[in-house]
């Protein structure tokens, strides 16, 4: 049977992926820098645990050699891990959202093909499900000239330190005009959204989609255009950003609602010709669900090279599992 190595595997999302894969009967190893955390969490999840430090390639060998697939659940600064995996002919799945790194991994396409390996990028919620929703919106509306993605993350939800750090780093200072309302699900009123540098928009446009823009909303009664601008201003100062990153995990004010909306437009007007929405709870659970499903579904594929999730799966492929998880998909 195949062995799946999850790097960052005892982190917030990594653990949830591991639990799902173990439940599906897979042999799983979770890895991070602490051997004791890895083995403790692994014992609880019914899998194996090992120490591996992404910053020390000399620590990768044994764990990579034993894996048929590697799921990367942390931000990397380059494509070295992905290269080491595909050179071994194994599958690589990446849940991270930094476009500059994903672009470098895309450059490994010839190496992956030569080695009969597949690397899958944009695995998760955003990027991930957002890519699949845009693919679906384009299929339903081939004349669309631009797409707008909205990602709503509830401030009552739990996120891991790496995800919180990444989000704060990506918050750019905002002007009043940057903040625009978007409606999620069946909401009657829009929530304030800001332009946000998730990788989905960039990777889709590189592959021939017309203009794509991704916007972020933070679901909480405390979030208004004013508090959003304040948050972005605070996050732009490194010292204050570090303090925020430490405080935010204890700050829950709102629900754990997680929602996506993709709107397709045929002209410069503001009325979308197609609007697809997905509404659920608990962002990390949804990310883990998509990552585990992708790992299982793509284990037997004959595809090789470096691909984004939307090049390998459609929304329909995941529809049943998303619905079982309580996610509501709708159009209109
Ligand atoms: N695509 C999506 O929709 C989506 C959604 C959520 C999160 N994410 C991304 O997923 C990643 C993980 O998020 P999370 O919430 O699970 O964060 P987390 O709870 O902080 O988990 C990160 C894990 O990585 C490990 N780690 C850190 N540095 C390492 C290194 N040098 N070598 C090996 N392991 C290392 C950490 O353990 P140690 O510190 O003990 O090593 C920890 O277990 C983030 O990059 C986030 O942006 C993507």
């Amino acid at each position: 049977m195949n062995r799946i190595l999850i790097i960052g595997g005892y982190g917030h999302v990594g653990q949830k992926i591991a639990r799902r894969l173990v439940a599906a009967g897979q042999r799983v190893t979770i890895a991070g820098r602490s051997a004791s955390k890895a083995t403790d969490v692994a014992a609880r999840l019914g899998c194996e645990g090992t120490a591996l430090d992404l910053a020390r390639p000399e620590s990768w060998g044994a764990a990579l050699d034993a894996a048929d697939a590697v799921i990367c659940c942390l931000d990397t600064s380059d494509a070295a891990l992905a290269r080491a995996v595909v050179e071994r002919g194994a599958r690589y799945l990446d849940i991270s959202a930094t476009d500059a790194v994903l672009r470098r991994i895309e450059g490994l396409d010839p190496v992956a093909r030569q080695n009969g390996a597949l690397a899958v990028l944009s695995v998760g919620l955003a990027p991930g499900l957002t890519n699949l929703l845009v693919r679906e919106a384009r299929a339903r509306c081939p004349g669309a000239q631009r797409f707008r993605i909205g990602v709503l993350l509830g401030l009552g939800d739990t996120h891991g330190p790496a995800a919180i750090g990444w989000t704060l780093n990506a918050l750019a200072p905002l002007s009043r005009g940057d903040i625009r309302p978007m409606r999620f699900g069946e909401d009657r009123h829009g929530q304030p959204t800001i332009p946000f540098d998730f990788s989905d928009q960039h990777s889709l446009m590189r592959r021939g989609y017309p203009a794509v823009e991704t916007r972020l909303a933070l679901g909480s009664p405390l979030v208004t255009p004013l508090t959003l601008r304040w948050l972005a201003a605070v996050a732009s100062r490194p010292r204050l950003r570090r303090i925020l990153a430490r405080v935010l995990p204890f700050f829950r004010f709102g629900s754990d609602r997680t929602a996506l909306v993709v709107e397709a437009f045929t002209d410069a007007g503001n009325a979308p010709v197609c609007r697809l929405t997905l509404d659920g709870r608990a962002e990390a659970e949804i990310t883990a669900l998509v990552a585990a499903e992708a790992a299982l579904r793509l284990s037997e594929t004959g595809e090789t090279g470096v691909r984004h999730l939307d090049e390998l799966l459609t929304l329909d492929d995941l529809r049943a599992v998303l619905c079982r998880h309580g996610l509501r998909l709708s159009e209109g």
Side-chain angles (χ1 to χ4, degrees):
M1 193 196 291
N2 288 345
R3 178 163 292 279
I4 302 175
L5 171 68
I6 307 177
I7 302 181
Y10 54 82
H12 190 59
V13 178
Q15 280 196 42
K16 294 176 179 7
I17 300 174
R19 187 175 292 117
R20 288 183 178 278
L21 291 174
V22 169
Q26 299 295 305
R27 293 196 308 167
V28 172
T29 301
I30 57 172
R33 287 172 295 185
S34 160
S36 61
K37 273 195 206 168
T39 47
D40 287 355
V41 175
R44 197 155 36 79
L45 296 176
C47 61
E48 292 187 5
T50 190
L52 182 156
D53 184 350
L54 212 60
R56 293 191 310 113
E58 66 277 14
S59 71
W60 305 353
L64 293 196
D65 289 343
D68 305 277
V70 175
I71 305 179
C72 182
C73 289
L74 70 153
D75 293 304
T76 57
S77 55
D78 58 31
L81 175 71
R83 175 180 282 278
V85 174
V86 297
E87 281 180 347
R88 284 168 164 81
R91 280 183 311 288
Y92 177 81
L93 291 91
D94 196 317
I95 76 165
S96 66
T98 304
D99 190 56
V101 177
L102 299 190
R103 269 202 320 266
R104 289 189 195 182
I105 300 176
E106 285 172 6
L108 296 174
D109 185 64
V111 184
R113 286 175 194 276
Q114 275 157 24
N115 289 282
L118 174 67
V120 191
L121 309 180
S122 306
V123 179
L125 180 89
L129 283 176
T130 51
N131 296 55
L132 299 187
L133 282 167
V134 174
R135 174 181 172 168
E136 178 74 17
R138 184 166 77 166
R140 291 182 187 209
C141 183
Q145 288 154 3
R146 64 186 173 94
F147 296 91
R148 186 162 63 182
I149 301 169
V151 179
L152 170 73
L153 301 177
L155 277 189
D157 203 352
T158 48
H159 306 282
I164 291 175
W166 187 91
T167 306
L168 290 175
N169 273 333
L171 267 179
L174 297 167
S175 66
R176 206 176 295 237
D178 287 329
I179 302 173
R180 298 205 199 117
M182 279 185 89
R183 269 191 321 113
F184 290 86
E186 288 164 12
D187 293 356
R188 290 176 55 200
H189 300 291
Q191 311 227 18
T193 66
I194 57 174
F196 203 72
D197 202 24
F198 286 119
S199 58
D200 44 11
Q201 55 202 325
H202 308 297
S203 75
L204 287 163
M205 285 192 285
R206 265 200 301 288
R207 287 176 289 119
Y209 282 78
V212 186
E213 176 198 20
T214 308
R215 304 184 68 84
L216 174 69
L218 298 173
S220 165
L222 291 184
V223 173
T224 64
L226 195 67
T227 51
L228 271 175
R229 285 178 67 193
W230 174 84
L231 183 68
V234 170
S236 66
R237 301 181 173 210
R239 203 167 140 262
L240 294 178
R241 186 167 63 231
R242 281 197 295 278
I243 295 172
L244 257 185
R246 278 204 292 273
V247 171
L248 273 179
F250 304 101
F251 175 90
R252 305 255 176 82
F253 204 86
S255 76
D256 64 352
R257 183 181 179 200
T258 302
L260 303 175
V261 59
V262 165
E263 298 169 334
F265 301 84
T266 48
D267 54 31
N270 261 339
V273 287
C274 171
R275 184 171 178 275
L276 300 174
T277 68
L278 185 143
D279 218 327
R281 319 206 82 86
E283 172 275 321
E285 281 295 351
I286 302 172
T287 300
L289 178 73
V290 174
E293 274 303 304
L296 294 171
R297 281 172 182 264
L298 299 173
S299 65
E300 299 299 333
T301 176
E303 298 277 353
T304 60
V306 180
R307 305 293 193 84
H308 289 267
L309 191 68
D310 55 279
E311 296 176 278
L312 298 163
L313 296 178
T314 64
L315 202 56
D316 272 345
D317 292 325
L318 298 184
R319 193 178 290 273
V321 75
L322 292 172
C323 291
R324 271 205 303 282
H325 184 72
L327 285 144
R328 290 179 304 285
L329 270 164
S330 58
E331 184 181 5

